[in-house]
Amino acid sequence: MNSRIGRALPYLAAPAVSLALFWRGLFTWFLRDDFPWLSLRSQIHDLPSFLSTLFSPLAQGTVRFLSERLYFVALSSLFGMRAGPFHAVTFAVWFGALVLAALIGQRLTGSKAAGVWAAILWASSSALVVPLTWASAFNEVLCAFLLLAAFHARLRGARWLEWCAYLLAFGAKEAAILYPLAVALHSIVVEKKRDKSIAWLFLPATVFGLLHLFVIPHPPNDLYRVVIDGQLLHTTWTYIRWALGTSRISKIIVALGLLCYLWQARHTRLLFFVGWFGIFLLPVLPLPNHLMEYYLTLPLVGLCWLGGAAIVSAERWRTRALVVAVVGAYLIDRALIVQDGTSFVLHQTSRMRIAYRAMEQTNREFPKTSLFLHGVDNELFQSGFQENPFALLGVSHAYLTPGADRDVTPRADLSMDSFRIPATQALVLVESGKARALDFFNDAPVDVTEPYKSVLRAIAN
Protein backbone atom coordinates (compact mmCIF):
# COMPACT_ATOMS: atom_id res chain seq x y z
CA MET A 1 0.00 0.00 0.00
CA ASN A 2 2.75 2.45 0.97
CA SER A 3 4.69 1.59 -2.17
CA ARG A 4 1.65 2.40 -4.31
CA ILE A 5 1.23 5.74 -2.60
CA GLY A 6 4.92 6.44 -3.07
CA ARG A 7 4.72 5.69 -6.80
CA ALA A 8 1.65 7.92 -7.15
CA LEU A 9 3.02 10.92 -5.26
CA PRO A 10 5.16 12.33 -8.13
CA TYR A 11 2.04 12.66 -10.29
CA LEU A 12 0.59 15.05 -7.70
CA ALA A 13 3.48 17.48 -8.17
CA ALA A 14 1.91 19.29 -11.13
CA PRO A 15 -1.53 19.72 -9.45
CA ALA A 16 0.27 21.04 -6.37
CA VAL A 17 2.25 23.55 -8.45
CA SER A 18 -0.89 24.61 -10.29
CA LEU A 19 -2.82 25.11 -7.06
CA ALA A 20 0.04 27.15 -5.59
CA LEU A 21 0.09 29.41 -8.65
CA PHE A 22 -3.61 29.67 -9.53
CA TRP A 23 -5.32 29.47 -6.11
CA ARG A 24 -6.96 32.86 -6.69
CA GLY A 25 -9.00 31.22 -9.42
CA LEU A 26 -10.99 29.43 -6.73
CA PHE A 27 -12.22 32.79 -5.42
CA THR A 28 -13.03 34.69 -8.61
CA TRP A 29 -16.65 35.45 -9.48
CA PHE A 30 -18.51 35.55 -12.79
CA LEU A 31 -17.59 37.65 -15.83
CA ARG A 32 -18.96 38.56 -19.26
CA ASP A 33 -20.21 35.43 -21.08
CA ASP A 34 -20.97 33.70 -17.78
CA PHE A 35 -24.20 35.67 -17.39
CA PRO A 36 -25.96 34.46 -20.57
CA TRP A 37 -24.96 30.89 -19.70
CA LEU A 38 -26.26 31.32 -16.15
CA SER A 39 -29.62 32.42 -17.53
CA LEU A 40 -30.07 29.15 -19.46
CA ARG A 41 -31.77 27.34 -16.57
CA SER A 42 -34.64 29.84 -16.66
CA GLN A 43 -35.40 28.66 -20.22
CA ILE A 44 -35.96 25.03 -19.19
CA HIS A 45 -39.58 24.08 -18.48
CA ASP A 46 -39.96 20.58 -19.92
CA LEU A 47 -38.07 17.95 -21.90
CA PRO A 48 -38.29 19.75 -25.30
CA SER A 49 -36.99 23.02 -23.81
CA PHE A 50 -34.24 21.08 -21.99
CA LEU A 51 -33.08 19.45 -25.23
CA SER A 52 -33.30 22.78 -27.05
CA THR A 53 -31.20 24.43 -24.35
CA LEU A 54 -28.56 21.71 -24.64
CA PHE A 55 -28.28 21.43 -28.40
CA SER A 56 -29.41 24.69 -30.03
CA PRO A 57 -26.43 26.47 -31.63
CA LEU A 58 -25.33 29.50 -29.62
CA ALA A 59 -22.27 31.76 -29.36
CA GLN A 60 -20.96 31.80 -32.94
CA GLY A 61 -22.75 28.56 -33.80
CA THR A 62 -21.23 26.30 -31.13
CA VAL A 63 -23.01 23.32 -29.57
CA ARG A 64 -20.88 22.63 -26.49
CA PHE A 65 -23.54 20.80 -24.53
CA LEU A 66 -21.09 19.50 -21.90
CA SER A 67 -18.64 22.33 -21.25
CA GLU A 68 -21.17 25.17 -21.41
CA ARG A 69 -24.81 24.00 -21.32
CA LEU A 70 -24.82 21.17 -18.73
CA TYR A 71 -21.99 22.78 -16.79
CA PHE A 72 -23.86 26.02 -16.20
CA VAL A 73 -27.39 24.59 -16.00
CA ALA A 74 -26.50 21.90 -13.47
CA LEU A 75 -24.26 23.98 -11.21
CA SER A 76 -26.42 27.12 -11.28
CA SER A 77 -29.49 25.00 -10.46
CA LEU A 78 -27.69 23.51 -7.45
CA PHE A 79 -25.71 26.52 -6.22
CA GLY A 80 -27.29 29.60 -7.78
CA MET A 81 -24.92 32.55 -8.20
CA ARG A 82 -22.11 31.00 -6.15
CA ALA A 83 -18.99 30.78 -8.30
CA GLY A 84 -17.00 28.55 -5.95
CA PRO A 85 -18.53 25.23 -7.12
CA PHE A 86 -17.85 26.15 -10.76
CA HIS A 87 -14.17 26.68 -10.04
CA ALA A 88 -13.97 23.56 -7.87
CA VAL A 89 -15.18 21.47 -10.81
CA THR A 90 -12.76 23.24 -13.16
CA PHE A 91 -9.78 22.61 -10.89
CA ALA A 92 -10.73 18.97 -10.35
CA VAL A 93 -10.91 18.35 -14.10
CA TRP A 94 -7.70 20.31 -14.63
CA PHE A 95 -5.84 18.24 -12.05
CA GLY A 96 -7.03 15.13 -13.87
CA ALA A 97 -5.67 16.55 -17.14
CA LEU A 98 -2.29 17.21 -15.50
CA VAL A 99 -2.04 13.64 -14.22
CA LEU A 100 -2.92 12.31 -17.68
CA ALA A 101 -0.29 14.58 -19.25
CA ALA A 102 2.32 13.15 -16.87
CA LEU A 103 1.30 9.54 -17.58
CA ILE A 104 1.30 10.10 -21.34
CA GLY A 105 4.64 11.91 -21.17
CA GLN A 106 6.07 8.94 -19.28
CA ARG A 107 4.89 6.52 -21.98
CA LEU A 108 6.14 8.71 -24.81
CA THR A 109 9.59 9.34 -23.36
CA GLY A 110 10.11 6.22 -21.28
CA SER A 111 10.87 8.41 -18.28
CA LYS A 112 8.58 9.03 -15.32
CA ALA A 113 10.55 12.17 -14.44
CA ALA A 114 10.09 13.54 -17.96
CA GLY A 115 6.33 13.02 -17.75
CA VAL A 116 6.12 14.71 -14.35
CA TRP A 117 8.26 17.65 -15.50
CA ALA A 118 6.10 18.03 -18.61
CA ALA A 119 3.00 18.28 -16.44
CA ILE A 120 4.70 20.83 -14.17
CA LEU A 121 5.62 22.99 -17.15
CA TRP A 122 2.03 22.83 -18.38
CA ALA A 123 0.72 23.57 -14.89
CA SER A 124 2.76 26.77 -14.67
CA SER A 125 1.82 28.28 -18.04
CA SER A 126 0.27 31.75 -18.07
CA ALA A 127 -2.05 30.49 -20.83
CA LEU A 128 -4.05 28.90 -18.01
CA VAL A 129 -4.90 32.21 -16.29
CA VAL A 130 -8.20 32.58 -18.14
CA PRO A 131 -9.34 28.91 -18.10
CA LEU A 132 -8.69 28.65 -14.36
CA THR A 133 -10.32 31.94 -13.38
CA TRP A 134 -13.24 32.30 -15.82
CA ALA A 135 -16.12 29.82 -15.76
CA SER A 136 -16.92 30.30 -19.45
CA ALA A 137 -13.47 29.01 -20.41
CA PHE A 138 -14.17 25.60 -18.86
CA ASN A 139 -14.43 24.24 -22.41
CA GLU A 140 -10.63 24.54 -22.74
CA VAL A 141 -10.01 22.48 -19.62
CA LEU A 142 -12.66 19.85 -20.30
CA CYS A 143 -11.61 19.35 -23.93
CA ALA A 144 -7.98 18.92 -22.87
CA PHE A 145 -8.94 16.38 -20.21
CA LEU A 146 -11.17 14.31 -22.51
CA LEU A 147 -8.72 14.19 -25.43
CA LEU A 148 -5.82 13.31 -23.14
CA ALA A 149 -8.00 10.63 -21.56
CA ALA A 150 -8.76 9.28 -25.03
CA PHE A 151 -5.08 9.28 -26.02
CA HIS A 152 -3.99 7.66 -22.76
CA ALA A 153 -6.62 4.96 -23.25
CA ARG A 154 -5.29 4.30 -26.76
CA LEU A 155 -1.73 3.96 -25.47
CA ARG A 156 -2.97 1.40 -22.95
CA GLY A 157 -4.99 -0.47 -25.56
CA ALA A 158 -8.39 0.41 -24.06
CA ARG A 159 -10.11 1.34 -27.31
CA TRP A 160 -13.64 1.39 -25.90
CA LEU A 161 -12.55 3.94 -23.29
CA GLU A 162 -10.81 5.95 -25.99
CA TRP A 163 -14.02 6.13 -28.00
CA CYS A 164 -16.08 7.20 -24.97
CA ALA A 165 -13.72 10.07 -24.12
CA TYR A 166 -13.28 11.04 -27.78
CA LEU A 167 -17.01 11.26 -28.49
CA LEU A 168 -17.66 13.21 -25.28
CA ALA A 169 -14.97 15.69 -26.34
CA PHE A 170 -17.25 16.86 -29.17
CA GLY A 171 -19.54 18.22 -26.46
CA ALA A 172 -16.66 20.18 -24.97
CA LYS A 173 -15.03 21.95 -27.92
CA GLU A 174 -14.75 21.74 -31.69
CA ALA A 175 -11.02 20.93 -31.44
CA ALA A 176 -12.06 17.30 -30.93
CA ILE A 177 -12.22 16.89 -34.73
CA LEU A 178 -8.40 17.11 -34.82
CA TYR A 179 -7.82 14.19 -32.47
CA PRO A 180 -7.61 11.60 -35.32
CA LEU A 181 -4.82 13.64 -36.93
CA ALA A 182 -2.81 13.62 -33.72
CA VAL A 183 -3.34 9.88 -33.28
CA ALA A 184 -2.38 9.21 -36.89
CA LEU A 185 0.80 11.27 -36.48
CA HIS A 186 1.74 9.28 -33.38
CA SER A 187 1.12 5.99 -35.16
CA ILE A 188 3.30 6.95 -38.12
CA VAL A 189 6.24 8.73 -36.52
CA VAL A 190 6.43 7.05 -33.10
CA GLU A 191 5.01 3.54 -33.49
CA LYS A 192 6.22 3.30 -37.10
CA LYS A 193 3.07 1.59 -38.29
CA ARG A 194 -0.22 2.29 -40.01
CA ASP A 195 -3.12 1.52 -37.70
CA LYS A 196 -6.27 0.91 -39.77
CA SER A 197 -8.49 1.46 -36.71
CA ILE A 198 -7.61 5.16 -36.82
CA ALA A 199 -9.68 5.55 -40.00
CA TRP A 200 -12.85 5.02 -37.94
CA LEU A 201 -11.91 7.96 -35.75
CA PHE A 202 -12.19 10.25 -38.77
CA LEU A 203 -15.87 9.33 -39.28
CA PRO A 204 -17.41 11.31 -36.36
CA ALA A 205 -14.89 14.11 -36.96
CA THR A 206 -15.97 14.39 -40.60
CA VAL A 207 -19.69 14.32 -39.75
CA PHE A 208 -19.23 16.91 -37.01
CA GLY A 209 -17.16 19.14 -39.30
CA LEU A 210 -19.72 18.97 -42.12
CA LEU A 211 -22.56 19.81 -39.74
CA HIS A 212 -20.67 22.86 -38.51
CA LEU A 213 -19.85 24.02 -42.01
CA PHE A 214 -23.14 23.48 -43.81
CA VAL A 215 -25.96 22.94 -41.29
CA ILE A 216 -25.31 24.93 -38.12
CA PRO A 217 -25.85 28.68 -38.68
CA HIS A 218 -22.99 31.05 -37.91
CA PRO A 219 -24.05 34.64 -37.18
CA PRO A 220 -21.81 37.23 -38.86
CA ASN A 221 -19.17 38.46 -36.46
CA ASP A 222 -15.94 40.23 -37.36
CA LEU A 223 -14.21 38.89 -34.26
CA TYR A 224 -14.60 35.32 -35.53
CA ARG A 225 -14.28 36.05 -39.23
CA VAL A 226 -12.07 33.48 -40.95
CA VAL A 227 -9.18 35.12 -42.81
CA ILE A 228 -6.75 33.01 -44.83
CA ASP A 229 -4.02 35.26 -46.17
CA GLY A 230 -0.62 36.60 -45.19
CA GLN A 231 -1.85 37.24 -41.65
CA LEU A 232 -1.57 33.51 -40.96
CA LEU A 233 2.20 33.86 -40.52
CA HIS A 234 1.79 36.73 -38.06
CA THR A 235 -0.89 34.86 -36.11
CA THR A 236 1.22 31.70 -35.97
CA TRP A 237 4.27 33.61 -34.76
CA THR A 238 2.18 35.33 -32.10
CA TYR A 239 1.03 32.00 -30.67
CA ILE A 240 4.56 30.61 -30.78
CA ARG A 241 5.84 33.61 -28.83
CA TRP A 242 3.07 33.17 -26.26
CA ALA A 243 3.84 29.46 -26.01
CA LEU A 244 7.47 30.23 -25.22
CA GLY A 245 6.39 32.69 -22.53
CA THR A 246 4.95 36.17 -22.35
CA SER A 247 8.10 37.73 -20.85
CA ARG A 248 11.48 38.12 -22.53
CA ILE A 249 13.30 35.95 -20.00
CA SER A 250 10.83 33.11 -20.55
CA LYS A 251 11.31 33.24 -24.31
CA ILE A 252 15.10 33.16 -23.97
CA ILE A 253 15.13 30.33 -21.44
CA VAL A 254 12.67 28.11 -23.31
CA ALA A 255 14.09 28.80 -26.76
CA LEU A 256 17.70 28.09 -25.73
CA GLY A 257 16.74 24.99 -23.77
CA LEU A 258 14.73 23.47 -26.59
CA LEU A 259 17.33 24.36 -29.22
CA CYS A 260 20.09 22.66 -27.21
CA TYR A 261 17.95 19.57 -26.78
CA LEU A 262 16.93 19.47 -30.42
CA TRP A 263 20.59 19.75 -31.41
CA GLN A 264 21.52 16.59 -29.54
CA ALA A 265 18.27 14.60 -29.86
CA ARG A 266 17.78 12.16 -32.71
CA HIS A 267 14.40 10.51 -32.29
CA THR A 268 11.06 10.84 -34.06
CA ARG A 269 9.07 11.63 -30.91
CA LEU A 270 10.20 15.24 -31.41
CA LEU A 271 8.09 15.44 -34.55
CA PHE A 272 5.08 14.19 -32.65
CA PHE A 273 5.56 16.69 -29.80
CA VAL A 274 5.78 19.63 -32.19
CA GLY A 275 3.06 18.13 -34.39
CA TRP A 276 0.62 17.95 -31.46
CA PHE A 277 1.17 21.66 -30.87
CA GLY A 278 0.62 22.52 -34.53
CA ILE A 279 -2.40 20.26 -35.08
CA PHE A 280 -4.46 21.59 -32.19
CA LEU A 281 -3.46 25.17 -32.96
CA LEU A 282 -4.80 24.95 -36.53
CA PRO A 283 -8.44 25.99 -35.86
CA VAL A 284 -7.52 29.38 -34.35
CA LEU A 285 -4.86 30.41 -36.87
CA PRO A 286 -7.40 31.84 -39.39
CA LEU A 287 -8.91 34.08 -36.65
CA PRO A 288 -6.58 37.12 -36.63
CA ASN A 289 -9.25 39.30 -34.98
CA HIS A 290 -9.55 37.02 -31.97
CA LEU A 291 -6.06 36.23 -30.71
CA MET A 292 -6.36 34.68 -27.24
CA GLU A 293 -3.57 33.16 -25.19
CA TYR A 294 -5.90 30.62 -23.59
CA TYR A 295 -6.33 28.95 -27.00
CA LEU A 296 -2.91 27.43 -26.25
CA THR A 297 -4.28 25.29 -23.41
CA LEU A 298 -4.47 22.02 -25.36
CA PRO A 299 -1.73 22.62 -27.99
CA LEU A 300 0.79 23.59 -25.33
CA VAL A 301 0.98 20.12 -23.79
CA GLY A 302 2.90 18.92 -26.86
CA LEU A 303 5.70 21.42 -26.23
CA CYS A 304 5.61 20.57 -22.53
CA TRP A 305 6.25 16.89 -23.32
CA LEU A 306 9.21 18.10 -25.34
CA GLY A 307 10.34 20.28 -22.45
CA GLY A 308 10.05 17.39 -19.98
CA ALA A 309 12.21 15.20 -22.22
CA ALA A 310 14.76 18.01 -22.52
CA ILE A 311 14.98 18.47 -18.74
CA VAL A 312 15.78 14.83 -17.99
CA SER A 313 18.21 14.50 -20.91
CA ALA A 314 21.05 16.05 -18.89
CA GLU A 315 23.55 13.37 -17.88
CA ARG A 316 26.53 15.16 -16.34
CA TRP A 317 26.15 16.77 -12.93
CA ARG A 318 27.19 20.19 -14.25
CA THR A 319 24.57 20.02 -16.96
CA ARG A 320 21.98 18.94 -14.42
CA ALA A 321 22.85 21.84 -12.16
CA LEU A 322 22.45 24.22 -15.09
CA VAL A 323 19.09 22.64 -15.96
CA VAL A 324 17.88 23.04 -12.38
CA ALA A 325 18.91 26.71 -12.39
CA VAL A 326 17.26 27.39 -15.75
CA VAL A 327 14.03 25.60 -14.85
CA GLY A 328 13.94 27.35 -11.49
CA ALA A 329 14.35 30.76 -13.15
CA TYR A 330 11.61 29.89 -15.63
CA LEU A 331 9.14 28.79 -12.93
CA ILE A 332 9.81 31.90 -10.85
CA ASP A 333 9.16 34.06 -13.90
CA ARG A 334 5.95 32.12 -14.61
CA ALA A 335 4.83 32.53 -11.00
CA LEU A 336 5.16 36.32 -11.21
CA ILE A 337 3.23 36.48 -14.49
CA VAL A 338 0.46 34.20 -13.17
CA GLN A 339 0.22 36.19 -9.94
CA ASP A 340 -0.36 39.41 -11.87
CA GLY A 341 -2.92 37.79 -14.17
CA THR A 342 -4.95 36.03 -11.48
CA SER A 343 -4.84 39.08 -9.19
CA PHE A 344 -6.31 41.24 -11.94
CA VAL A 345 -9.15 38.79 -12.64
CA LEU A 346 -9.88 38.45 -8.92
CA HIS A 347 -10.06 42.24 -8.60
CA GLN A 348 -12.25 42.56 -11.69
CA THR A 349 -14.70 39.86 -10.65
CA SER A 350 -14.87 41.20 -7.10
CA ARG A 351 -16.02 44.55 -8.45
CA MET A 352 -18.61 42.83 -10.60
CA ARG A 353 -19.89 40.80 -7.65
CA ILE A 354 -20.28 43.93 -5.51
CA ALA A 355 -22.15 45.69 -8.31
CA TYR A 356 -24.40 42.68 -8.88
CA ARG A 357 -25.26 42.30 -5.19
CA ALA A 358 -26.11 46.00 -4.96
CA MET A 359 -28.47 45.73 -7.94
CA GLU A 360 -29.92 42.55 -6.45
CA GLN A 361 -30.64 44.32 -3.16
CA THR A 362 -32.25 47.28 -4.94
CA ASN A 363 -34.45 44.97 -7.01
CA ARG A 364 -35.49 43.13 -3.85
CA GLU A 365 -36.62 46.39 -2.23
CA PHE A 366 -38.13 47.83 -5.41
CA PRO A 367 -39.27 44.89 -7.56
CA LYS A 368 -39.69 45.20 -11.33
CA THR A 369 -38.13 48.64 -11.54
CA SER A 370 -35.57 49.87 -14.02
CA LEU A 371 -32.08 50.90 -12.94
CA PHE A 372 -29.99 53.95 -13.79
CA LEU A 373 -26.29 53.25 -13.30
CA HIS A 374 -23.91 56.09 -12.53
CA GLY A 375 -20.14 55.98 -11.99
CA VAL A 376 -19.63 52.79 -14.00
CA ASP A 377 -16.09 52.98 -15.39
CA ASN A 378 -14.83 51.11 -18.43
CA GLU A 379 -13.30 48.22 -16.48
CA LEU A 380 -16.48 47.52 -14.55
CA PHE A 381 -18.68 47.90 -17.62
CA GLN A 382 -16.61 45.41 -19.61
CA SER A 383 -16.80 42.91 -16.76
CA GLY A 384 -20.23 41.88 -17.95
CA PHE A 385 -22.73 44.73 -18.20
CA GLN A 386 -23.28 44.20 -21.93
CA GLU A 387 -24.00 40.49 -21.36
CA ASN A 388 -27.20 41.46 -19.50
CA PRO A 389 -26.70 40.18 -15.94
CA PHE A 390 -29.83 42.19 -15.13
CA ALA A 391 -32.01 39.45 -16.64
CA LEU A 392 -30.89 37.15 -13.80
CA LEU A 393 -32.18 39.72 -11.31
CA GLY A 394 -35.56 40.30 -12.92
CA VAL A 395 -34.69 43.97 -13.48
CA SER A 396 -37.01 45.56 -16.06
CA HIS A 397 -34.19 47.46 -17.74
CA ALA A 398 -30.81 48.97 -16.96
CA TYR A 399 -29.48 52.24 -18.37
CA LEU A 400 -26.33 54.24 -17.97
CA THR A 401 -27.08 57.72 -16.79
CA PRO A 402 -27.24 60.21 -19.70
CA GLY A 403 -23.74 61.02 -20.87
CA ALA A 404 -22.09 58.22 -18.89
CA ASP A 405 -21.87 56.06 -22.02
CA ARG A 406 -19.05 58.33 -23.21
CA ASP A 407 -16.81 56.90 -20.46
CA VAL A 408 -17.01 53.28 -21.59
CA THR A 409 -15.89 51.30 -24.62
CA PRO A 410 -18.42 48.69 -25.76
CA ARG A 411 -17.53 45.27 -27.11
CA ALA A 412 -17.15 45.33 -30.88
CA ASP A 413 -19.84 42.68 -31.36
CA LEU A 414 -22.41 44.23 -28.99
CA SER A 415 -24.43 47.45 -29.18
CA MET A 416 -24.66 50.24 -26.61
CA ASP A 417 -28.13 51.35 -27.71
CA SER A 418 -29.96 49.46 -24.97
CA PHE A 419 -28.05 51.43 -22.31
CA ARG A 420 -28.98 54.86 -23.67
CA ILE A 421 -32.12 56.83 -22.82
CA PRO A 422 -33.01 60.54 -23.25
CA ALA A 423 -33.04 62.59 -20.06
CA THR A 424 -36.73 63.45 -20.47
CA GLN A 425 -37.73 59.77 -20.57
CA ALA A 426 -35.41 59.01 -17.66
CA LEU A 427 -37.11 61.74 -15.61
CA VAL A 428 -40.53 60.24 -16.29
CA LEU A 429 -39.40 56.82 -15.10
CA VAL A 430 -37.75 58.11 -11.93
CA GLU A 431 -40.59 60.45 -10.93
CA SER A 432 -43.18 57.73 -11.49
CA GLY A 433 -41.30 55.36 -9.21
CA LYS A 434 -40.52 52.95 -12.03
CA ALA A 435 -36.74 53.36 -11.77
CA ARG A 436 -34.01 53.70 -9.17
CA ALA A 437 -30.54 55.24 -9.54
CA LEU A 438 -27.34 53.67 -8.21
CA ASP A 439 -23.94 55.34 -7.95
CA PHE A 440 -20.97 52.94 -8.19
CA PHE A 441 -18.29 55.44 -7.22
CA ASN A 442 -15.41 53.84 -5.24
CA ASP A 443 -16.99 50.39 -5.59
CA ALA A 444 -19.47 51.21 -2.83
CA PRO A 445 -22.86 51.35 -4.61
CA VAL A 446 -25.38 53.69 -3.03
CA ASP A 447 -28.95 54.62 -3.95
CA VAL A 448 -28.97 58.19 -5.31
CA THR A 449 -32.49 58.26 -6.73
CA GLU A 450 -33.60 61.45 -4.97
CA PRO A 451 -30.61 63.65 -5.90
CA TYR A 452 -30.68 62.13 -9.39
CA LYS A 453 -34.20 63.51 -9.86
CA SER A 454 -32.85 67.01 -9.41
CA VAL A 455 -30.11 66.39 -11.94
CA LEU A 456 -32.60 65.08 -14.50
CA ARG A 457 -34.94 68.05 -13.98
CA ALA A 458 -32.03 70.42 -14.57
CA ILE A 459 -31.04 68.55 -17.78
CA ALA A 460 -34.61 68.31 -19.02
CA ASN A 461 -35.22 72.01 -18.51
Side-chain angles (χ1 to χ4, degrees):
M1 184 67 177
N2 289 334
S3 62
R4 288 184 179 180
I5 295 176
R7 288 194 299 268
L9 280 177
Y11 298 109
L12 300 180
V17 169
S18 190
L19 184 61
L21 294 178
F22 293 94
W23 62 269
R24 292 177 184 83
L26 291 168
F27 302 97
T28 58
W29 204 61
F30 299 113
L31 280 174
R32 295 183 291 274
D33 294 351
D34 294 342
F35 299 111
W37 295 127
L38 288 165
S39 67
L40 286 180
R41 65 188 174 112
S42 64
Q43 303 173 19
I44 299 175
H45 311 289
D46 48 28
L47 181 59
S49 61
F50 175 71
L51 294 176
S52 176
T53 299
L54 286 189
F55 298 106
S56 294
L58 294 172
Q60 293 79 50
T62 59
V63 189
R64 300 167 183 169
F65 67 90
L66 276 180
S67 62
E68 292 173 346
R69 319 302 173 79
L70 277 178
Y71 176 64
F72 277 96
V73 169
L75 292 180
S76 63
S77 298
L78 291 172
F79 303 103
M81 294 297 291
R82 296 181 181 89
F86 287 81
H87 298 307
V89 170
T90 297
F91 271 74
V93 174
W94 171 239
F95 290 164
L98 289 174
V99 172
L100 286 169
L103 291 171
I104 294 171
Q106 178 179 346
R107 283 183 172 267
L108 292 174
T109 63
S111 167
K112 184 176 184 178
V116 170
W117 272 114
I120 290 174
L121 293 176
W122 196 28
S124 59
S125 171
S126 59
L128 275 302
V129 168
V130 171
L132 295 183
T133 58
W134 186 29
S136 286
F138 178 60
N139 57 78
E140 300 288 341
V141 175
L142 183 60
C143 183
F145 170 78
L146 290 172
L147 291 185
L148 289 177
F151 188 47
H152 183 249
R154 166 167 282 272
L155 294 177
R156 292 174 52 212
R159 297 299 170 84
W160 67 271
L161 185 57
E162 176 192 25
W163 271 94
C164 289
Y166 170 50
L167 293 177
L168 285 174
F170 286 99
K173 197 182 176 190
E174 298 72 30
I177 66 173
L178 297 169
Y179 175 73
L181 289 176
V183 170
L185 180 64
H186 175 263
S187 178
I188 294 171
V189 305
V190 178
E191 296 184 340
K192 305 289 187 180
K193 65 180 183 180
R194 297 182 183 275
D195 190 341
K196 294 181 179 179
S197 68
I198 296 175
W200 289 103
L201 295 173
F202 282 93
L203 181 59
T206 302
V207 172
F208 188 82
L210 291 174
L211 288 174
H212 261 269
L213 283 175
F214 301 110
V215 177
I216 296 176
H218 297 269
N221 189 327
D222 282 342
L223 280 178
Y224 296 92
R225 182 165 54 90
V226 174
V227 179
I228 301 178
D229 57 15
Q231 294 184 80
L232 280 174
L233 293 176
H234 176 266
T235 302
T236 303
W237 178 239
T238 298
Y239 281 115
I240 291 174
R241 287 191 295 108
W242 285 346
L244 296 179
T246 51
S247 70
R248 182 174 298 178
I249 186 174
S250 291
K251 292 184 179 70
I252 295 173
I253 290 173
V254 175
L256 288 177
L258 292 181
L259 283 174
C260 292
Y261 179 62
L262 291 171
W263 179 261
Q264 65 176 347
R266 295 291 187 273
H267 51 74
T268 54
R269 288 180 306 221
L270 297 175
L271 181 58
F272 173 69
F273 296 151
V274 177
W276 178 285
F277 175 79
I279 286 170
F280 286 107
L281 193 62
L282 278 176
V284 299
L285 295 182
L287 304 176
N289 299 327
H290 200 250
L291 295 172
M292 293 293 168
E293 189 180 1
Y294 64 82
Y295 284 155
L296 288 169
T297 300
L298 178 58
L300 197 57
V301 70
L303 296 186
C304 291
W305 286 326
L306 175 56
I311 289 172
V312 301
S313 66
E315 297 179 355
R316 299 179 180 180
W317 69 268
R318 291 181 180 178
T319 308
R320 289 179 180 177
L322 179 61
V323 168
V324 169
V326 168
V327 173
Y330 174 78
L331 292 178
I332 291 173
D333 179 68
R334 293 295 84 207
L336 296 174
I337 299 295
V338 169
Q339 177 181 330
D340 289 343
T342 54
S343 296
F344 173 75
V345 179
L346 181 59
H347 166 73
Q348 191 179 27
T349 58
S350 297
R351 295 188 67 198
M352 188 67 207
R353 182 176 63 249
I354 292 171
Y356 183 90
R357 296 306 183 198
M359 292 185 288
E360 184 180 42
Q361 178 64 29
T362 301
N363 186 66
R364 189 180 297 117
E365 296 176 2
F366 304 94
K368 298 181 180 180
T369 57
S370 297
L371 292 178
F372 286 97
L373 313 175
H374 184 69
V376 177
D377 60 30
N378 192 53
E379 178 189 284
L380 179 58
F381 183 79
Q382 293 193 359
S383 296
F385 277 57
Q386 278 188 280
E387 283 75 12
N388 195 22
F390 322 105
L392 296 167
L393 296 166
V395 171
S396 298
H397 209 104
Y399 305 96
L400 294 177
T401 52
D405 58 318
R406 293 191 295 267
D407 299 326
V408 300
T409 303
R411 272 178 48 175
D413 58 331
L414 296 175
S415 172
M416 280 288 296
D417 292 342
S418 62
F419 288 92
R420 297 187 177 103
I421 184 173
T424 52
Q425 294 181 25
L427 180 60
V428 171
L429 288 174
V430 173
E431 288 190 328
S432 64
K434 295 181 179 179
R436 306 295 298 180
L438 290 176
D439 191 337
F440 292 89
F441 183 70
N442 284 338
D443 292 338
V446 293
D447 191 311
V448 292
T449 304
E450 292 305 318
Y452 185 55
K453 288 180 183 179
S454 302
V455 173
L456 288 176
R457 290 190 189 106
I459 296 175
N461 294 330

